[in-house]
Amino acid sequence: MQLGILKETLPGETRVALLPDNLKTFLAQGITVLVESGAGLGAGATDEAYTQAGATVTTDREAILTTSQLLPVVQILSAEEQARLQPGTVLIGFFRPLDSPKALLPAIQAKAMVFAMELVPRISRAQAMDALSSMATVAGYKAVIEAANQLPRLFPLLMTAAGTIAPAKVFVIGAGVAGLQAIATARRLGAVVEAYDVRAGAKFLDVDLGGISGEGVGGYAAELSEEALERGRTLITAACSRADVVITTAQVPGRPAPLLIRRAAVEAMKPGSVLVDLAAPAGGNCELTQPGVTQLIGGVRLVAPMNLAAEVPAHASQLYARNVVNFLGLIVKKGELVPDMTDEVVAGTCVAANGAPVNPRVAALLAPPPGA
Ligand code: NAD
């Protein structure tokens, strides 16, 4: 069996699916590893490092695509490349299968076995494969660093001979994986932090949702009624007006990001303050967000990053690669591909195999509309 590591091609993607340190597990099982030249450079892994780890480095991308049985990637391949995959090739990466399942059709039709990291069930046993959490950790940290970089003020309290500098006030919306890391990072830099979430126990700022539970299945957020959202927005507007930095991370799995910051809340913010909308890839938590664009609105800088993890490529790749290795450990044993579709982690993560959708949510999205 052969494992291929490709150089990512999407603009701005600096991560790599596996690093030289990850190859031992595969080589020890007799699996050969073919690496596209330059694949790891963004993450600080040279071709030499892959060679020393036991891989063969090549510039022949086509050979990697068409002769590897295991193809872990970070981002989706182009439609043309997907169509050239051999039947049975295991393709695994971040593919947004619930947002744009049709983008995977060429790989599905080529009968590749497609696994999407977004679908890894969030159960204890699969935590070590949870790449969404890994990337959210990196993004939560980097959002604060980005905000600190853009802010015309310092974060910590400083008492100097030239006077006292008050600490920055940071308001974090959504205390999930990214939000908790943002809170911790802002505190480490000396900021005073407020935070808000709808899930019970995650509230630092209390909001009366009128008896409505913000918690859904498995401890994740439920989509709120418009009335409950509006109560949250009033409180959020007040907290935004106090803050120097606002970081929003609120998401509801499988749904567009909740709209929590209206134009009025941005207008209530102090000139020079910074809003980082980490929910931008899911549409954003702020009404004014333009995903991927930084705007200056009445002196407030609104940043809407689409791929913050790629701005910390070495550690983002290290965490992602470990998640990939752990997942592959479930389906590759003693150098053989042995996917057990009765295992909820394997089947739940599988977008499609043998030309047919496997994950029921993806299958429903790909099914022709009734009467078609
Ligand atoms: P997420 O990215 O889906 O959402 C981020 C946060 O936004 C969540 O905390 C959510 O409650 C919050 N949110 C949603 N709607 C909101 C609203 N209207 N107003 C304010 N906040 C809102 O969630 P996540 O960070 O991926 O995970 C959420 C929780 O699940 C975390 O506490 C995490 O520890 C836990 N988790 C468990 C596992 C596991 O057991 N395998 C894996 C990952 C995460």
Side-chain angles (χ1 to χ4, degrees), residues 1-6 17-18 26 29 31-34 64-73 85-86 88-92 113 115 324 327-329 331-333 335-339:
M1 188 151 54
Q2 178 181 295
L3 181 148
I5 303 174
L6 293 166
L18 291 177
F26 302 102
Q29 297 180 58
I31 298 169
T32 54
V33 180
L34 207 54
I64 301 176
L65 268 176
T66 55
T67 64
S68 303
Q69 289 76 44
L70 298 176
L71 263 184
V73 295
L85 296 174
Q86 297 303 303
T89 300
V90 170
L91 180 68
I92 172 165
M113 192 181 287
F115 293 95
V324 168
F327 184 80
L328 285 175
I331 61 169
V332 179
K333 299 207 165 115
E336 300 286 331
L337 188 59
V338 286

Side-chain angles (χ1 to χ4, degrees), residues 196 207-210 212 224-233:
Y196 162 65
V207 57
D208 178 6
L209 294 175
I212 302 154
L224 296 185
S225 68
E226 191 47 37
E227 182 206 344
L229 275 175
E230 198 50 46
R231 286 179 197 237
R233 282 185 205 119

Side-chain angles (χ1 to χ4, degrees), residues 120-128 130 132-133 136 173-180 196-199 202 214-215 218-224 228-229 232 236 249-254 257-260 285:
V120 170
R122 297 188 112 179
I123 56 173
S124 308
R125 180 164 68 88
Q127 253 171 343
D130 183 355
L132 277 186
S133 287
I173 303 177
V177 180
L180 290 174
Y196 162 65
D197 199 298
V198 287
R199 286 178 304 121
E215 198 151 321
Y220 291 89
E223 202 171 22
L224 296 185
L229 275 175
I236 285 168
T249 72
Q251 304 214 38
V252 178
L259 172 56
L260 299 174
N285 291 135

